[in-house]
């Protein structure tokens, strides 16, 4: 699994996410997150979300091969804008707020 992935929003903007290595092993900072699977180089986004504290994130566990990726965004307006852009680009993904 890659340590970094780039997800493209509906606007065409690209957002870089970093793989979260261990659940609960994250700084208490706000940001966006994505639950993704990567098969043969193809990224499938199953869940998108935003959180005021990524250290408290309890990510969905389905599908079991999925990995959590996070993107740090302290400013609420930026976090919300990026989340909305990504949600529009991946309509099949479950969208949650934490």
């Amino acid at each position: 699994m890659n340590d970094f992935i780039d997800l493209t929003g509906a606007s065409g903007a690209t957002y870089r996410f970093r793989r979260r290595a261990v659940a609960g092993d994250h700084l208490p900072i706000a940001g966006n997150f994505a639950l993704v699977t990567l098969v043969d180089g193809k990224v499938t986004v199953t869940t998108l979300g935003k959180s005021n504290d990524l250290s408290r994130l309890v990510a969905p566990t389905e599908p079991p091969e999925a990995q959590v990726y996070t993107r740090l965004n302290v400013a609420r307006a930026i976090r919300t804008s990026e989340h909305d852009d990504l949600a529009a680009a991946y309509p099949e993904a479950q969208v949650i707020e934490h």
Side-chain angles (χ1 to χ4, degrees):
M1 190 61 74
N2 296 342
D3 284 338
F4 294 93
I5 59 167
D6 293 328
L7 299 179
T8 303
S11 69
T14 301
Y15 307 102
R16 177 151 290 184
F17 285 74
R18 183 178 188 165
R19 186 168 57 91
R20 182 175 175 174
V22 179
D25 185 25
H26 206 292
L27 295 173
I29 192 167
N32 301 70
F33 61 91
L35 186 68
V36 304
T37 58
L38 184 61
V39 177
D40 296 329
K42 181 182 184 307
V43 172
T44 300
V45 179
T46 59
T47 305
L48 290 167
K50 59 183 177 176
S51 175
N52 290 327
D53 184 352
L54 290 169
S55 70
R56 297 178 48 194
L57 175 64
V58 178
T61 57
E62 292 295 327
E65 67 276 8
Q67 294 285 317
V68 176
Y69 285 80
T70 60
R71 175 177 172 80
L72 305 183
N73 273 320
V74 177
R76 181 178 305 217
I78 293 171
R79 185 169 60 252
T80 298
S81 174
E82 290 182 1
H83 172 76
D84 293 345
D85 190 27
L86 287 166
Y90 298 94
E92 71 283 357
Q94 175 187 10
V95 178
I96 59 176
E97 292 186 32
H98 184 265

